[in-house]
Amino acid sequence: MTSNMATADSGIDWRKLLAENAIIPALLVFIVLAGIATGGRFLSPSNLTIILFQSSVLGVLVLGQTLVMLVAGIDLSIAAVAILAAVIMGAGGSERQIMMNFSGILPYLGFLPAILIAIAGAALAGLINGLVVVKLRIPAFIATLAMSLALSGLAMLATGGSPVHYPDPFYESFGQTKFLGLPMPIYMFLALSLGLGLYLSRSKLSVQLYATGGNPRAAALSGIPVSRITILAYTASGLLGGIAGFLFLARTGSVAPHSGGNLLLETIAAVVIGGVSLAGGKGNVLNAFAGTLLLVGLSNLMNILLISPHLQDAVSGIIIVVAIMANTRLQDAPAGQ
Amino acid sequence: MSAGTDTRTGMRPATPTSALSGRGRWRVWLGHNDAFVILVGFALLASVISPAFLTPHNLGNLLTQSALLGLLAIAQFLVVVSGGFDLSVAAVMAFSSLVFAHFIGLGFVPAALLAILAGGTCGLFSGLVITKGRVQPLIATLAMMGIARGLALSVSEKSILVNDPTVAALRGFSLGILSTPTLVWFFVLTIAVAWLALTRQALHLYAIGGNEVTARLAGVAVNRIKLGVYVASGLLSGLTGVVMVMRSSSGVPLGGMGWELDTIASIVIGGVNLFGGEGRLMRAMAGVLIYQMIANVMNLSGLDPFYQDIVRAGVIVAAVGLSIFRNRKAGRRVIQGRSA
Amino acid sequence: MRTIVKTFPGVQALRGVDFDLMPGEIHCLIGENGAGKSTLMRVLTGAQRPDSGEIEISGETFSGLNPALSQKLGVGMIYQEADLVPALSARDNIFLGHERVEAGMILKKKEMRREVERIFGQLNLNFPPSTIVRDLAPAQRQLVQIAKSLSRNIRILVLDEPTAALTDSEIGYLFDLLNELKSRGIGMVYVSHRLDEIMAIADRVTVLRDGSHVATQRIGDVTKGSLIAAMVGRNIDAEARSTSSKADKVVLSVRGLTVKGQFEDVGFDLYQGEVLGLAGLIGAGRSEVLECLFGVTQPDAGSISVEGKAVKVNSPIEAILLGFGLVPEERRESGLVLGRSVAENITFPVLDRFSRFTFLSRGKLVEVASRLVSQLSIKTPSLGQSVRTLSGGNQQKVVIGKWLAAGTRILLLDEPTRGIDINAKFELYQLVRDLTAKGMSVIMASSEMPELLALSDRILVMSEGRLVAELDAAMTDQVEIMHHAVAGARREGEAA
C-alpha cells in the first residue's frame, strides 16, 4: 500500500520494499522458530485459533493507534477508552449487574442503548483528544494520557470500582459462537482490519492522511484540510477503541475498571513492531496487523513455555525498543538520508 | 513577559528590566515567581478556611505527602530541562521498592543500595536507547515504564510487608515536623540545587534543552549529558522507591500509578518549560506543593477519589496548556525581534 | 583555501574556488544570493566537507574540517541568525562549551565574571552579562556572538551578513569594533551584499558568481559600480526577452497590504498573462507577501481583490478556490510531501475530483497525473515513485504540476529556480512563458536578476518590507534593480 500508485517501469527497489515491510518475513521466521521450539504445538490449529482470538481486542486497538500515528500523533487513551466502553456495555446493559453494584453511578440503560452510548462516548473521547491536540496544541501524549486518567476515573465511578462479572449473556455467547470453526470476534477483527486496509488503499482520506502525517506544512499549502484530518484520525481511534471494548467483553465475559493495564503498551508495541513511524506518514494496516500477530504469538509462545505473564510485559517493553531501533537502522541505511 | 518590546529605541538599549516602569518590573518579577505567590496565596486561603491548616502537624503532613512526588519531580525536572521526558519514574520507583523489600534480609544498607542501583540500571537502559538507539525519549521511557512495572509485578503481585527494625525506626523518626521522607527530599533537593548552581554539567543540561544544535557546535558532550540525566533520573526514582517503603513499610508493585503525569504537571505548574532549557528547581518544587495541596483540598472536601482523577486530568491539561500558551507568546516575540 | 569544489545533488555549489585571508585583514566576500558565499564559509568552519580542494590554516593543510577542529584552529563564525541558546544568559552563552572549571566540574564563576567583564569592556557593551539572551535586541545578540568568539582566542572570524538586523549607528559601532580586532591581528571574512558597508570596511574584496571565483581586488581599485557589474555580469541567462502576453485585464489588485513585523503598505495590480517580478534582498519581505496572498498569514491591514471582487483569504484552501497557487521557496519543507508519490503530490489539491463518497478512482487520478507528467516532461521512473528521489528541477515541476491540475490562474513563484541546474532552469522559464501565453498570471519573487529581467513584464523592488520601485523590465537592468534594493535598505530607524 505504500507506493502502489502505478506499476514501476524500472525494477522494483527491493531493499526499500524490504525495509518498509520487514515485519512480514520477521513474522514468518518467528512462526517457524516458535513451531520448532514447541515441538509443533504452537502450530496446531487450536493454538493458532487462540492466537487470533487473543489478537482480536489488541488488533482493533492497533487499527486506531495506526490511524493516529499516521498523522504523527499518539493515542495513549485508547486502552482506557476500550475499558470504559466495555464497562458501560457490560454494566449499563445488564440489569443483574446494576443490581449487584451499590456504589456505582451508572444506571441500567438497556442492552442496545448501552452499546450505542458506549460506542458514541468512545468516539466523543477521541474527538475531544483531537480537538485538544489540534486546537489547544497540547502535545498528544499529554492530552491523551490525561484523557486516559479521566476515563479510568469514570470507569471506576461507573461501577464504584467493582468488576463487571455479569454482563448480558449475549457477550459470552457471541464470544463462543463459532462459524467455520472460528469464534465470531475473530471475524470481526479480520473484517475490520481488512475493511480499513482496503479503505486506506483506495480512499481520498488515506491520501490526505499520509500527506498530513508526512509533511503537515506542505499538505496544508496544497489545500489539504490538515486540522480536520487530524481530528478525524483521533475520533476514529476513539471509535475503534469502543469497538475493541465490545470485543473485550465478548472475549473475556467480564471486565474490571483496571483491566486495561497492559493493553496500552501492547498496542504501541504492536504498531511500532509493524513499522508504523512515530514521526507520521509511514506505515500501513497490513504491517500493523502482522505486528499484532507477532506480539500476541510471542506472548502465546511464552505461555506455552510457562513464562510469567508479568515478565511478558517487560518483554513487550524491550521489544518496542528493539523494534524501533531496528526500523530506524533499516530505513536509514538504504535511503541514505 | 513583554520585556523586549520597548528596548529597541536607542542605539544601545539598556537592559530590559531596568528600562521598564515599576509596574512592568513587578510583572516580570511575578512572571518569574508566580508559583511561589500562588503557593503562599493557597496557604493563606487554606488557613482562613481551616485554622487547622497552619498547624505544624498539618504542615509536616503536607510535606511528607509531597516527599515522594517531590523526589520524582526532581528526577523529572532534570530530564525535562534537558529536552526529554521520563515516563518511567513512577514504575521504576515501584520496581525498586520491591527490590528493596525483597532483599531486606541482607540488611538495610545493602538492600537500599541494590534498590537504588536497580533504578539506575533502568535509567541507564533508557538513556542508552535514547542516545545510542536514537529512540524518542517518550517511547523509550514508555517502554521502560512497561518493563519496570512488569518486573515489579513479576517479583511479587502483592505488596510485600517489610519487617525491619531500621525501616521501622526511620518510619517513626522525625526532626520537628520533618519526617524521614521529608528529610530525604530536602537533602536531595539541596544537592540538586547546589549542583544546578555550581557545575558545568548543569549549564550544559540547560544548553542542550534550549538549543541542542548550538550546544553541540559549542563542543558540549550532548550524548554524555543526556545519558547521565536518565541515569540520574533512574537512581533518584530508585531512591524514591526506598523512601516509599519507609513511609508505608511495604514494597508496592502497583505504587505510583499515574504519577509520571503528576510529576510533569507539577513541574510545569512550577514554571518549567515543557520543551526543555528553562526552569528553576525551587519553583518547580513550589509547583509540587501546589499540586499536592489541590489533591489535599479534594481529599478534605470528601470528593470521590474517582472524581479526583477527572479533576487531576483537567488540572494537567490546563497546566500544560497554559505553559504552552506562555511559551508561544515568548516565542512569537523572539521571531518578531528577528524579522527585518 | 585552494580550488574548493562542492557539489550538491543537482547543483555544483562551488567550482574550484580559491580564497585567501591574511592576519589583520578584512576580506569581503560578495555575490548574489546563491553565488556560493555561504557554502564556502561552511567549508571553512567545518560545517561541510569539500568534495575536493584543500584548506591551509597557519601552515597546516587539510582536505576538510569538522566544527571541533575548525574551532581548535581558531576559526569563529557569526551567523545571520544568532546562534545562541535563547534561554541562557549572555555570559553562559559566551562560555558555553569552554567554561572555566575547577575540580573538573565546579564553575569558576568569579573568574568567568571577570573575564566577561573584560570582554564586555573591550567591546564597550553596556548591558549586564547576566541578561537572558531572549530579552536582548537583535543587535545585542550579534554582539554577544562576537564576544563568544573573542572568548575563544580566535584568529579568523567569519561574519555572515552581520548587519542585517542593525541600525546605522549600531553598524558604525560594529565597524569600530572590527577595526579594533583587525589591529590585534585577527583576520576577518565579511560576507555581505551591502556595498556601502563593504566600501567602508574592506581591505580586499572577492566576488563569487555561480560558484566560481570572479575577481579579488584591493578595495582601492574598485567602485560600487564595478562591483555590481562583477556580481551580476553573468551571460548564460542573457537570452532575448520573450514577447509579452500581458493583457489589459486586471486579475489581482492589492492595496495597502500590511502584516506587522513583516511588510507594510504593499500595493500593486497584476494583469492577465503578466509576469510580475518581485526583486529584493534576503529579508526584504517578498516571501511574506506571497504567503499572505496565499492565506498562510492574515493581513493586519489592506485589501485584496481578485478580478474586481474584494476577497478575504483565510486559508490556503480558500486561496486555492480563488485560483491562487503557491510554489514556495522551501520546496522540500513546504512544497512536497517527500515520502509520497509523484502522482499523489500532483493531485493533493484536486482529490475531490477523483473521489465519490470518499472512494478514490485511482485510474482517473493516475490519468491526470500522467498527463501532467508528460506535459511538464517530469523525469521520473514511475508515477508511484516517491518525490524524495527526484532531482530538484523535477521536484519543482511536480509542485507546479500540482497547480496546473488545480486550474490555478494566479501562480505565485517564490525563488522557483533555487537549487536546480541550468537546463532545468531554462525548461522552467519556457514553462512560465507557455503558461502566461495561455492566460495565467504569475508573480515571481526571485533573487536571480537575469531571470527576473528575462521573464517579467514589470519588476517590483522590495526593501525592508516596503515596495520601493516599480520598473518596466524592458527598460531597466540589473544595476538599477540592485541600486533600488540596496538603497532602500538603509533608512535610519527602520532596522530591526
Side-chain angles (χ1 to χ4, degrees):
Chain A
M1 211 167 314
T2 41
S3 55
N4 54 357
M5 276 311 238
T7 49
D9 310 335
S10 66
I12 300 163
D13 187 347
W14 286 106
R15 281 186 73 179
K16 188 165 166 255
L17 204 64
L18 183 67
E20 282 173 2
N21 299 287
I23 179 65
I24 309 284
L27 180 63
L28 295 176
V29 170
F30 167 76
I31 291 174
V32 172
L33 290 180
I36 295 170
T38 57
R41 259 174 71 200
F42 183 82
L43 293 175
S44 71
S46 65
N47 192 54
L48 292 180
T49 307
I50 290 177
I51 292 180
L52 277 176
F53 192 51
Q54 286 175 338
S55 301
S56 57
V57 175
L58 183 63
V60 173
L61 292 177
V62 159
L63 297 179
Q65 192 68 265
T66 303
L67 286 176
V68 173
M69 283 209 187
L70 282 180
V71 295
I74 192 167
D75 187 351
L76 300 180
S77 70
I78 193 165
V81 168
I83 295 304
L84 178 60
V87 164
I88 294 176
M89 290 182 219
S94 152
E95 251 182 309
R96 183 165 170 223
Q97 175 67 37
I98 292 297
M99 282 163 64
M100 305 289 297
N101 279 349
F102 303 110
S103 49
I105 59 161
L106 189 69
Y108 176 65
L109 301 165
F111 175 71
L112 213 59
I115 293 182
L116 292 178
I117 288 172
I119 300 279
L124 180 68
L127 176 66
I128 294 173
N129 278 335
L131 287 172
V132 170
V133 168
V134 169
K135 300 291 177 196
L136 302 182
R137 295 195 224 169
I138 291 190
F141 85 98
I142 300 264
T144 57
L145 212 49
M147 176 59 79
S148 167
L149 192 65
L151 295 182
S152 304
L154 270 179
M156 291 286 200
L157 270 175
T159 67
S162 47
V164 178
H165 283 305
Y166 309 102
D168 193 281
F170 165 80
Y171 293 101
E172 200 161 353
S173 67
F174 180 81
Q176 303 301 325
T177 307
K178 290 192 177 172
F179 178 71
L180 297 178
L182 297 177
M184 292 309 284
I186 295 186
Y187 288 103
M188 257 182 97
F189 158 52
L190 294 180
L192 280 170
S193 301
L194 198 68
L196 190 67
L198 284 177
Y199 180 71
L200 281 190
S201 71
R202 55 193 60 202
S203 71
K204 174 179 83 173
L205 186 69
S206 103
V207 176
Q208 296 178 323
L209 208 62
Y210 281 99
T212 299
N215 186 343
R217 181 170 162 80
L221 288 179
S222 303
I224 289 173
V226 168
S227 303
R228 215 170 66 209
I229 299 291
T230 308
I231 293 171
L232 198 64
Y234 279 96
T235 311
S237 173
L239 181 69
L240 285 161
I243 296 173
F246 175 86
L247 289 174
F248 188 98
L249 210 52
R251 207 191 81 195
T252 56
S254 71
V255 60
H258 56 260
S259 298
N262 328 319
L263 215 45
L264 172 63
L265 207 61
E266 284 172 8
T267 306
I268 291 173
V271 174
V272 166
I273 295 170
V276 179
S277 164
L278 294 159
K282 250 188 210 161
N284 63 50
V285 169
L286 176 66
N287 285 349
F289 177 81
T292 310
L293 292 188
L294 181 63
L295 191 71
V296 175
L298 193 67
S299 137
N300 175 278
L301 177 69
M302 289 192 283
N303 279 337
I304 296 180
L305 302 176
L306 297 174
I307 296 171
S308 135
H310 298 305
L311 220 51
Q312 295 178 16
D313 286 352
V315 171
S316 48
I318 292 173
I319 289 175
I320 293 184
V321 165
V322 172
I324 298 188
M325 290 198 292
N327 267 330
T328 318
R329 295 262 185 286
L330 264 174
Q331 310 221 331
D332 276 5
Q337 16 209 340
Chain B
M1 297 299 293
S2 59
T5 40
D6 51 358
T7 57
R8 278 188 242 110
T9 40
M11 167 206 163
R12 318 262 81 220
T15 105
T17 1
S18 64
L20 288 171
S21 63
R23 198 164 140 261
R25 211 179 304 177
W26 160 242
R27 272 177 52 192
V28 168
W29 182 88
L30 189 67
H32 288 171
N33 297 288
D34 54 359
F36 298 113
V37 175
I38 293 172
L39 184 61
V40 171
F42 243 77
L44 287 177
L45 196 71
S47 60
V48 168
I49 293 170
S50 155
F53 180 82
L54 267 186
T55 58
H57 177 74
N58 191 51
L59 289 181
N61 266 350
L62 180 67
L63 288 174
T64 308
Q65 282 165 0
S66 310
L68 295 183
L69 187 61
L71 279 165
L72 291 185
I74 295 174
Q76 191 71 265
F77 173 90
L78 297 174
V79 178
V80 169
V81 164
S82 81
F85 293 104
D86 191 346
L87 294 184
S88 71
V89 284
V92 169
M93 171 190 79
F95 171 51
S96 78
S97 83
L98 280 178
V99 170
F100 181 64
H102 189 76
F103 287 109
I104 193 71
L106 300 176
F108 179 85
V109 173
L113 286 179
L114 276 175
I116 294 170
L117 210 64
T121 312
C122 292
L124 180 67
F125 181 81
S126 302
L128 284 175
V129 168
I130 289 160
T131 53
K132 303 281 175 210
R134 287 180 294 148
V135 175
Q136 290 174 343
L138 185 68
I139 295 297
T141 59
L142 189 70
M144 190 67 235
M145 176 173 114
I147 295 171
R149 201 59 88 176
L151 286 176
L153 283 165
S154 58
V155 173
S156 164
E157 286 190 33
K158 298 251 154 59
S159 298
I160 305 180
L161 199 66
V162 173
N163 221 336
D164 178 82
T166 320
V167 171
L170 285 171
R171 191 179 181 205
F173 177 81
S174 72
L175 199 74
I177 62 167
L178 306 177
S179 64
T180 308
T182 311
L183 287 170
V184 175
W185 178 27
F186 284 5
F187 176 70
V188 172
L189 186 57
T190 312
I191 294 177
V193 167
W195 182 81
L196 285 169
L198 296 177
T199 70
R200 166 162 69 173
Q201 285 78 4
L203 198 59
H204 288 179
L205 192 69
Y206 281 93
I208 292 170
N211 188 340
E212 189 170 328
V213 177
T214 301
R216 184 167 280 135
L217 285 177
V220 171
V222 173
N223 274 348
R224 213 162 62 208
I225 301 275
K226 274 191 181 174
L227 183 62
V229 89
Y230 285 96
V231 171
S233 171
L235 290 170
L236 264 172
S237 305
L239 175 66
T240 314
V242 174
V243 176
M244 182 167 83
V245 177
M246 288 180 205
R247 235 190 92 184
S248 61
S249 286
S250 45
V252 190
L254 289 175
M257 286 297 245
W259 284 15
E260 48 282 332
L261 262 196
D262 294 347
T263 56
I264 293 177
S266 49
I267 65 172
V268 165
I269 292 173
V272 175
N273 185 336
L274 189 60
F275 303 107
E278 281 172 287
R280 282 184 303 154
L281 185 55
M282 287 312 285
R283 196 172 152 204
M285 292 299 112
V288 170
L289 288 173
I290 293 172
Y291 196 74
Q292 194 62 47
M293 279 163 81
I294 295 175
N296 266 21
V297 169
M298 288 198 293
N299 265 331
L300 291 173
S301 64
L303 194 64
D304 188 315
F306 307 139
Y307 278 118
Q308 293 186 18
D309 279 345
I310 299 166
V311 176
R312 251 167 81 198
V315 171
I316 289 166
V317 169
V320 171
L322 212 65
S323 132
I324 286 171
F325 177 71
R326 228 170 11 186
N327 202 32
R328 212 183 301 157
K329 242 170 63 183
R332 189 177 307 148
R333 208 181 70 219
V334 171
I335 292 161
Q336 275 179 359
R338 270 184 193 167
S339 60
Chain C
M1 299 174 86
R2 278 189 295 271
T3 57
I4 300 291
V5 176
K6 176 72 194 175
T7 312
F8 294 112
V11 204
Q12 203 170 9
L14 294 174
R15 315 159 189 259
V17 173
D18 293 329
F19 186 83
D20 65 300
L21 177 70
M22 287 179 290
E25 174 194 47
I26 297 179
H27 191 155
C28 286
L29 189 58
I30 61 171
E32 286 186 310
N33 301 341
K37 297 165 296 186
S38 302
T39 310
L40 185 64
M41 289 305 104
R42 291 170 70 80
V43 167
L44 177 59
T45 55
Q48 263 162 2
R49 282 187 79 85
D51 298 333
S52 63
E54 55 188 25
I55 305 153
E56 184 186 313
I57 296 177
S58 313
E60 273 185 278
T61 307
F62 306 89
S63 61
L65 300 170
N66 60 48
L69 181 58
S70 171
Q71 271 177 18
K72 224 178 87 198
L73 292 166
V75 180
M77 170 126 188
I78 290 164
Y79 297 86
Q80 293 174 17
E81 290 286 312
D83 183 36
L84 299 167
V85 182
L88 291 183
S89 71
R91 183 172 56 232
D92 290 341
N93 264 294
I94 286 167
F95 284 105
L96 185 63
H98 63 122
E99 299 84 357
R100 311 273 188 277
V101 289
E102 53 198 354
M105 59 183 286
I106 306 297
L107 294 168
K108 293 202 250 180
K109 292 207 168 170
K110 255 195 208 133
E111 186 181 320
M112 288 197 287
R113 213 167 284 154
R114 266 203 309 274
E115 170 99 13
V116 98
E117 293 292 340
R118 190 178 60 75
I119 297 172
F120 267 47
Q122 273 176 10
L123 300 184
N124 200 11
L125 305 184
N126 67 351
F127 55 89
S130 59
T131 315
I132 302 298
V133 164
R134 172 176 300 148
D135 294 335
L136 293 174
Q140 294 173 317
R141 290 184 202 161
Q142 214 100 47
L143 295 167
V144 170
Q145 279 208 304
I146 294 180
K148 186 175 164 182
S149 298
L150 287 184
S151 74
R152 281 186 187 261
N153 282 329
I154 45 147
R155 285 181 292 178
I156 299 170
L157 183 60
V158 181
L159 301 108
D160 190 2
E161 295 285 349
T163 55
L166 306 192
T167 61
D168 273 356
S169 42
E170 284 169 340
I171 289 169
Y173 180 77
L174 175 72
F175 283 0
D176 292 346
L177 184 64
L178 296 187
N179 281 322
E180 156 75 19
L181 297 181
K182 189 163 107 173
S183 68
R184 280 198 260 151
I186 294 174
M188 277 167 280
V189 186
Y190 188 100
V191 182
S192 180
H193 42 223
R194 293 185 166 168
L195 299 183
D196 290 329
E197 294 174 9
I198 287 165
M199 299 305 286
I201 189 85
D203 296 306
R204 285 191 299 162
V205 55
T206 287
V207 183
L208 291 185
R209 190 200 308 148
D210 291 330
S212 299
H213 177 265
V214 176
T216 299
Q217 284 176 294
R218 301 205 57 78
I219 200 70
D221 303 337
V222 298
T223 62
K224 259 167 77 174
S226 72
L227 284 180
I228 290 181
M231 277 162 73
V232 299
R234 64 175 76 172
N235 40 26
I236 41 171
D237 292 340
E239 191 181 294
R241 246 175 52 77
S242 60
T243 48
S244 168
S245 24
K246 177 179 164 187
D248 281 339
K249 186 179 160 208
V250 174
V251 290
L252 171 71
S253 175
V254 176
R255 292 289 174 272
L257 202 65
T258 301
V259 172
K260 281 190 187 124
Q262 294 188 346
F263 56 86
E264 275 177 72
D265 195 22
V266 168
F268 58 84
D269 287 325
L270 175 68
Y271 294 87
Q272 183 165 22
E274 184 187 25
V275 178
L276 184 61
L278 206 49
L281 302 173
I282 288 172
R286 295 167 299 165
S287 304
E288 288 80 358
V289 169
L290 297 186
E291 288 194 346
C292 180
L293 289 176
F294 198 60
V296 179
T297 49
Q298 299 308 312
D300 294 307
S303 64
I304 302 171
S305 44
V306 176
E307 287 171 359
K309 260 188 293 183
V311 295
K312 265 189 77 71
V313 192
N314 293 313
S315 69
I317 295 178
E318 291 186 21
I320 294 167
L321 289 176
L322 288 167
F324 287 99
L326 173 68
V327 177
E329 181 179 8
E330 302 285 332
R331 179 170 60 236
R332 298 168 68 87
E333 287 74 25
S334 312
L336 296 164
V337 182
L338 290 176
R340 305 308 294 173
S341 69
V342 172
E344 285 188 11
N345 270 286
I346 286 184
T347 53
F348 281 146
V350 290
L351 287 171
D352 285 329
R353 227 187 273 165
F354 315 117
S355 57
R356 202 189 270 167
F357 309 121
T358 170
F359 284 99
L360 204 58
S361 159
R362 293 253 167 188
K364 274 195 228 161
L365 188 153
V366 165
E367 193 186 302
V368 168
S370 73
R371 184 167 53 78
L372 283 163
V373 163
S374 61
Q375 183 190 334
L376 299 174
S377 44
I378 297 172
K379 287 182 202 69
T380 170
S382 74
L383 289 174
Q385 185 75 24
S386 82
V387 290
R388 188 190 304 279
T389 55
L390 301 190
S391 73
N394 283 306
Q395 287 182 341
Q396 193 68 297
K397 287 189 202 164
V398 172
V399 181
I400 293 174
K402 178 166 77 182
W403 300 126
L404 295 190
T408 290
R409 283 167 296 144
I410 303 170
L411 190 62
L412 312 172
L413 300 172
D414 196 356
E415 301 287 357
T417 57
R418 168 161 305 168
I420 68 180
D421 62 37
I422 291 289
N423 287 333
K425 275 185 192 178
F426 282 122
E427 280 186 74
L428 269 171
Y429 298 157
Q430 193 51 49
L431 179 62
V432 169
R433 288 183 186 124
D434 293 348
L435 292 176
T436 48
K438 286 182 199 151
M440 190 186 273
S441 309
V442 174
I443 304 179
M444 180 173 76
S446 174
S447 299
E448 305 241 352
M449 285 188 286
E451 78 185 23
L452 280 179
L453 286 166
L455 285 176
S456 309
D457 294 290
R458 287 175 300 148
I459 297 174
L460 302 175
V461 187
M462 286 191 75
S463 180
E464 304 280 324
R466 287 172 185 275
L467 279 185
V468 290
E470 179 188 325
L471 306 167
D472 183 338
M475 312 288 287
T476 188
D477 56 24
Q478 300 185 31
V479 178
E480 189 184 7
I481 297 174
M482 189 61 109
H483 179 75
H484 284 292
V486 176
R490 295 280 92 225
R491 259 196 318 274
E492 179 66 26
E494 278 293 315

